[in-house]
Amino acid sequence: MSFVTDQVRRVDGQLDRLQFSTLSSTPSSPFLTAARDASQDAQGTPTREPDLTRIIQLQAVVKALSTTSSSRPLLGPWKIQTLLEQAQLPSAATSTSSVSKADAAYERELEWLLVSKATAQTYGVILNALLEQTIPLSNDIWYWDEVLGSNTYTALYTVQTSPLRLWEWSKDIYQDAKQRLESMGGSKETDRQTTNSLADRWRQFYGLVKDSIRDRSLADMQSKVMSPFAMCRAEARRKQDHLKKFREMSASGLGVLMDEGLTFDVDEEGSIAAKGHNDEIDKEEWKSVVAKSVALMETVLHNVTAIEIGVTDFEDTVFTSVEDDPEIVHHHTTDGGPSPRPALLANRLQQILSVHMPSHSATSRKLAADYGRPSLVIRYWLPATVLLLSSSTLLRIFVNRKADITAWVRDLGTTVIDFWYNWVVEPVQKIIGTIRHDEDSEVAIMSKGSLEGDRASLERMVVDFAIDNPDAADGVPLNELQIADIRAKVKEGDLTPVLRAYERDLRKPFMGTLRGDLVRALLIQIQKTKVDVEVAISGIDTLLKSQELVFGFVGLTPGVLVCLGVSKWLSGVFGNRKGMKKGESRSQMVRVLRNIDRIMTSSTPSNNGMLSYKDHGLLLCEVHVLRQVGQRILPGDINREFLEEVNDLVDIRTGVERQLRVVERIRWAYAKWLR
């Protein structure tokens, strides 16, 4: 929703309040008259039944023209014309004896309400047209800034437009040679000499072409001592100047319509705040405003594309034409007499929508095409030509490498599928299994029963060794209590009986080896070392099991990051290129605020401190872009507050100083979304 919609809704609401105030003071309406006649008929009094078909028809058209009639408050030009034709407003005042004065007054007020609402809809259509034609001109002006600000872009523009200059030059040579041939063919003697044969005529024409080229080359050398780059820069500067004039004219027309069109000084009760006038004149004043607004819209459309005149002359021409409008002049000379008939205004609205609007759109497009950036064909003919000339070579390469290209595509697809299943699907399945404590998903370095078996084997080895070597246990046979004590010590890692025998045999290693006790003690210690290693591995295994979910997410992270990166890249490549990303929208919002600040600081306010029509139009264009960008990056509640700030910004009645303070308030209040 743009400020045009808000403006049309505001005007429509004012018209409703004005009409309600007018109709509420009417002594009677057709519906009241019908009810009264019905009561009289019930009492036996002969009555007439008023024709309510016309009233119902007008009310239906008024409802269709209202901004609250549908989800789209602004109607298209064709719809407005259709509704005006459907209303069938009479071109002359009609009076019949079967209709009372109150009924006729009510019908006339409905006709005025219908024309006023149609004027408000046409007003919105024209504002939208001016807005849509003014905003893109900034991009074309920036394009010419780039061409003029860089030698590289100037050279590129020279190459891009070289076919056009060659074509224009060829047409000039052809026209000059054709004129010379026609001048030579004036005398009969020359005709007899030059019509001998086709070859002689072609030779003569070719000679004339060479003479034209030579003469034009000498003329260009004498009159234009400039390089092609300088000529292109001069052409770019000229087009940029024309675009700036066109932009200023369109902005001035937009400002004039916003400030002077359909401006009703209406209070909350719906009455015009006019002082020094009687009630009858006050009731007719808003109708005069509607008539002036219709003349204003028509005059603006007539003159807004005349860029050869300045902004000041344009504004003077518009106001002079409105004041000299025949219908307005006739209304003023009657000293408060009847306003122009609604049918006349309806015809002018239809003329605006069917004739002036298409003509204005065609002229605007022609100006934008003549002075705007070159078309796509001109800008990209060189790479398109290179691609076209090399297309056969590229096709031959593709045909010769068809098998390799097919294999590359197949390998790429296989790689993508394997990556998806091995690095995304399987890690996710493992994480789910870990959460469910599935046995297959547990992380383990060692089998579950390995430690218990080796520890039990070590206990049996030590007990058997102690029983076979009682000397290692104080030299007495072991009882059950001592054996149980040895088992308990072995679980704690104490191998005292074995170590004692080992120390004893080390004194006589040869005898210990023959008896076998030394070798047996060594093997028991090896088993003890194995158990110690398994205990350490069991601790690591327990630690891994406690962090099993963390390892699952760590394994999933690379696949997720790669998928996110690829999806972000694909969305950037195949996404909506016209739409701005959030970061780009923020930078665009900052640039728009800079443009708004620049417009107001460089403007020349009037005596009452308000912006001129041109500056107001430029401000409205920037505010329109600002609202669109704000809607993309601001949350819903914040955006509603932002719209309040924007409405304060476009209210030129507060003065330039307060508007600048509003811009500053927007910068610090919404700095969070501007970074």
Side-chain angles (χ1 to χ4, degrees), residues 129-343:
L130 291 175
L131 194 66
E132 291 174 359
Q133 82 179 24
T134 306
I135 292 177
L137 296 179
S138 300
N139 297 329
D140 293 341
I141 293 174
W142 293 339
Y143 172 81
W144 294 123
D145 283 336
E146 291 182 349
V147 172
L148 294 172
S150 172
N151 293 329
T152 303
Y153 286 125
T154 303
L156 180 60
Y157 174 73
T158 304
V159 174
Q160 289 173 342
T161 57
S162 57
L164 289 179
R165 290 194 301 276
L166 180 60
W167 173 251
E168 294 294 334
W169 181 79
S170 301
K171 286 199 304 183
D172 292 341
I173 296 297
Y174 174 77
Q175 293 295 335
D176 185 61
K178 185 178 179 181
Q179 291 178 359
R180 294 190 181 193
L181 183 61
E182 291 177 352
S183 63
M184 292 180 62
S187 61
K188 297 181 179 180
E189 183 179 357
T190 306
D191 289 340
R192 287 193 299 269
Q193 294 176 357
T194 56
T195 54
N196 294 331
S197 63
L198 181 62
D200 293 338
R201 295 179 63 185
W202 172 252
R203 190 178 301 110
Q204 183 181 12
F205 180 75
Y206 181 69
L208 294 175
V209 170
K210 290 197 298 183
D211 294 339
S212 299
I213 294 175
R214 183 175 59 255
D215 296 341
R216 184 165 294 276
S217 300
L218 292 176
D220 291 340
M221 291 178 61
Q222 294 175 0
S223 60
K224 298 181 180 179
V225 190
M226 297 171 60
S227 64
F229 296 114
M231 295 172 60
C232 289
R233 289 176 66 88
E235 180 184 359
R237 190 175 293 107
R238 178 180 60 84
K239 290 186 176 182
Q240 186 186 44
D241 293 339
H242 282 83
L243 274 183
K244 288 181 178 179
K245 290 181 181 179
F246 184 35
R247 182 172 179 244
E248 291 176 355
M249 294 284 289
S250 301
S252 179
L254 185 62
V256 168
L257 289 177
M258 282 293 296
D259 296 344
E260 304 297 336
L262 294 175
T263 53
F264 304 104
D265 192 4
V266 181
D267 56 17
E268 295 180 356
E269 296 180 356
S271 60
I272 297 179
K275 298 181 180 180
H277 294 74
N278 55 35
D279 294 339
E280 188 64 27
I281 295 179
D282 290 347
K283 292 180 181 179
E284 297 293 333
E285 186 173 350
W286 70 273
K287 301 175 183 178
S288 176
V289 172
V290 174
K292 287 183 179 180
S293 299
V294 173
L296 182 67
M297 291 186 291
E298 185 177 9
T299 307
V300 168
L301 289 178
H302 266 302
N303 299 278
V304 74
T305 54
I307 62 175
E308 63 274 3
I309 63 176
V311 174
T312 304
D313 295 337
F314 164 72
E315 295 173 359
D316 294 339
T317 302
V318 167
F319 292 118
T320 303
S321 300
V322 172
E323 292 298 329
D324 295 340
D325 189 88
E327 296 183 7
I328 307 299
V329 171
H330 174 72
H331 173 61
H332 285 174
T333 55
T334 55
D335 193 13
S339 302
R341 288 189 298 272

Side-chain angles (χ1 to χ4, degrees), residues 525-559:
Q525 293 185 57
I526 291 174
Q527 182 67 17
K528 173 63 170 56
T529 303
K530 181 180 178 183
V531 171
D532 291 340
V533 172
E534 289 182 350
V535 169
I537 294 176
S538 177
I540 297 174
D541 201 6
T542 304
L543 180 63
L544 290 177
K545 288 182 179 179
S546 64
Q547 303 296 324
E548 189 172 0
L549 191 60
V550 175
F551 286 113
F553 280 107
V554 170
L556 180 63
T557 300

Side-chain angles (χ1 to χ4, degrees), residues 399-462:
V399 172
N400 295 336
R401 305 294 296 273
K402 180 180 179 181
D404 295 337
I405 294 174
T406 305
W408 293 342
V409 174
R410 187 184 301 110
D411 293 341
L412 178 62
T414 304
T415 303
V416 171
I417 294 174
D418 292 343
F419 172 81
W420 175 256
Y421 281 102
N422 296 333
W423 290 93
V424 178
V425 177
E426 289 187 3
V428 170
Q429 292 177 348
K430 290 181 180 179
I431 290 175
I432 296 175
T434 301
I435 296 174
R436 295 178 177 178
H437 291 285
D438 292 343
E439 295 182 358
D440 297 337
S441 64
E442 292 183 356
V443 178
I445 302 177
M446 180 180 63
S447 59
K448 293 183 178 180
S450 176
L451 178 59
E452 287 79 3
D454 290 339
R455 182 176 289 174
S457 176
L458 178 62
E459 291 178 1
R460 291 192 298 270
M461 289 181 183
V462 174

